[in-house]
Amino acid sequence: MSEMSGNILETRLLSSLEKVFPDEELSAQAWQTGSMLSNEVYSFQIACRIRPGAAEEHLSGTLHVQADPDLAPFILLRQVVPVPSDFPIYEDHDENVLRAEPGWYPDLLRPLDGPLTVSKQWQSVWVTVNHDKRDIRPGRYAIRLSLSAEGSGDAEGVGEAPAAGTFDLEILSEKLPEQSLIHTMWFHTDCLATWYGDEVFSEAHWKRIGQYIKTATAHGIHMILTPIFTPPLDTRVGGERPTVQLVDVWKSGDSYRFGFDKLERWVELCRERGVKHFEFSHLFTQWGAGHAPKILASEDGETKRIFGWETDAAGPEYEHFLDQFLPALVSFLKAHGLEKCSWFHVSDEPHEDHLAAYENASR
């Protein structure tokens, strides 16, 4: 049955590719069967609402899951929470979009560890099978989901038969091979420190970095943006991001020394959590490669910024610095077996009028 209803509740099983908007009628067709490899992750949704015409406007509902004991521990439920988007897309988009207007868009997955507030607007719960990517015994499984209402007072229909549906999942004996695609999503350690209020590279910060890297690799991200110097990304000209510099620098006249202890810890942490490739942060600023990133150094016992927006990327001072830094970095990479899995950025988002500066930086 494509749509299940008690006297007061409606539910519909849906593909994970569908989007359930709270302010429109649900037109997506029911999705009740699927298959997966034994070590794969599979997701689908169950949409729900109070049926039109019911007296109740809001109810507290409980979503129950019944599944084979071999499968039940591998099932995770999360509520799909709409979030506000005031600028969802640029005006010159094509027609292959669901919406272009500001509004509430389903986005956040919040752990469902208690009652679910159900209203007359459609919403959905995200059902994930094998979120930890373990090996599950092959076979055919029935996952029964039932939503029961727990209202207050004497609301008509509350306490009657729950809305329910069954999803049939076949788990195949074959396994998903190890990912060969190199996949990165930029990883900003300064944002973690700012959001959680951790001192940069304190033990609390390192712990947080490890947790997020573990989550990244669990979702197929095997390349990590590595801030040898603070990434000069999405920063207004003349401004700067919080300092997250993994390489220590000591300056004495025209000579530089480098410390790689934090970078070594970073590499070990990443490898322990499944990172295969390292992309080193940009050695030149975004939008044209015209300047150096922010670099701090210790000089005469004082830590100071020695390069930044005021530094000409093609100037002799920064070139002299790179002539000393890059050989030291390459030696570190070779000593740690990283020479074949390291990637370097030149500049982000250069345009045609930046060709000369980009060419110089690349050279």
Side-chain angles (χ1 to χ4, degrees):
M1 191 166 69
S2 63
E3 194 166 290
M4 294 66 70
S5 61
N7 285 343
I8 195 169
L9 296 173
E10 289 181 279
T11 60
R12 191 184 306 176
L13 296 173
L14 300 174
S15 164
S16 61
L17 299 179
E18 299 291 351
K19 302 293 185 291
V20 180
F21 291 95
D23 59 349
E24 70 179 27
E25 183 59 37
L26 184 60
S27 60
Q29 296 298 309
W31 182 271
Q32 296 174 272
T33 62
S35 64
M36 59 179 281
L37 303 181
S38 63
N39 63 341
E40 198 175 0
V41 178
Y42 189 89
S43 298
F44 63 96
Q45 300 176 83
I46 180 169
C48 58
R49 70 171 176 178
I50 297 174
R51 64 173 173 80
E56 290 294 294
E57 295 295 329
H58 294 86
L59 288 172
S60 178
T62 301
L63 187 62
H64 304 275
V65 181
Q66 292 175 293
D68 186 291
D70 285 345
L71 187 65
F74 298 94
I75 297 176
L76 175 67
L77 301 180
R78 286 172 289 181
Q79 182 181 6
V80 182
V81 180
V83 299
S85 174
D86 58 4
F87 185 49
I89 198 167
Y90 287 100
E91 291 183 358
D92 59 352
H93 66 83
D94 59 26
E95 297 306 312
N96 298 309
V97 297
L98 296 178
R99 286 186 171 190
E101 300 301 322
W104 291 87
Y105 284 72
D107 182 73
L108 177 67
L109 296 181
R110 177 181 295 159
L112 185 64
D113 50 9
L116 177 70
T117 299
V118 187
S119 70
K120 291 186 177 180
Q121 295 175 317
W122 282 108
Q123 62 172 304
S124 70
V125 173
W126 194 270
V127 184
T128 304
V129 180
N130 201 20
H131 59 284
D132 285 336
K133 290 188 177 180
R134 304 179 190 176
D135 289 336
I136 306 179
R137 179 176 60 82
R140 293 180 179 274
Y141 296 89
I143 304 172
R144 179 176 170 79
L145 297 163
S146 58
L147 181 65
S148 59
E150 302 169 358
S152 59
D154 298 321
E156 178 185 354
V158 174
E160 298 182 4
T166 299
F167 191 90
D168 294 314
L169 180 65
E170 181 181 8
I171 299 180
L172 307 174
S173 58
E174 289 79 7
K175 294 185 178 182
L176 195 68
E178 184 176 350
Q179 178 175 299
S180 58
L181 178 71
I182 298 176
H183 180 197
T184 183
M185 299 288 285
W186 281 354
F187 187 86
H188 288 299
T189 51
D190 62 314
C191 294
L192 294 181
T194 299
W195 179 259
Y196 290 103
D198 297 329
E199 181 182 349
V200 171
F201 297 135
S202 63
E203 289 305 311
H205 191 212
W206 278 112
K207 180 179 179 181
R208 199 85 62 185
I209 290 170
Q211 292 171 333
Y212 272 76
I213 290 176
K214 182 179 178 180
T215 297
T217 56
H219 288 81
I221 297 172
H222 293 315
M223 175 187 279
I224 290 292
L225 179 66
T226 299
I228 46 177
F229 303 119
T230 302
L233 300 170
D234 297 319
T235 308
R236 63 176 175 82
V237 176
E240 60 181 58
R241 299 177 72 116
T243 301
V244 281
Q245 179 176 316
L246 286 171
V247 176
D248 293 318
V249 181
W250 292 271
K251 185 177 187 299
S252 178
D254 293 332
S255 298
Y256 299 91
R257 291 187 300 110
F258 306 98
F260 296 100
D261 289 349
K262 289 196 289 291
L263 180 58
E264 185 172 30
R265 180 173 180 177
W266 173 277
V267 169
E268 291 176 356
L269 182 68
C270 290
R271 281 175 160 172
E272 288 172 358
R273 284 154 179 79
V275 172
K276 304 292 185 183
H277 301 269
F278 296 84
E279 55 171 334
F280 294 103
S281 56
H282 306 59
L283 295 173
F284 306 91
T285 51
Q286 195 173 20
W287 310 308
H291 308 276
K294 177 177 66 171
I295 298 177
L296 303 187
S298 177
E299 185 177 18
D300 298 327
E302 180 184 356
T303 299
K304 61 179 70 173
R305 181 167 57 81
I306 59 171
F307 298 116
W309 284 107
E310 73 285 355
T311 306
D312 182 358
E317 290 185 358
Y318 191 52
E319 183 175 350
H320 182 67
F321 171 82
L322 291 179
D323 283 343
Q324 297 180 56
F325 171 63
L326 291 177
L329 178 61
V330 169
S331 295
F332 172 87
L333 298 181
K334 290 181 176 179
H336 291 79
L338 296 168
E339 65 270 26
K340 293 184 178 180
C341 58
S342 296
W343 303 75
F344 286 85
H345 284 284
V346 178
S347 176
D348 188 53
E349 299 179 357
H351 300 289
E352 189 173 357
D353 55 345
H354 302 139
L355 184 59
Y358 184 89
E359 197 171 41
N360 179 77
S362 179
R363 182 177 64 251

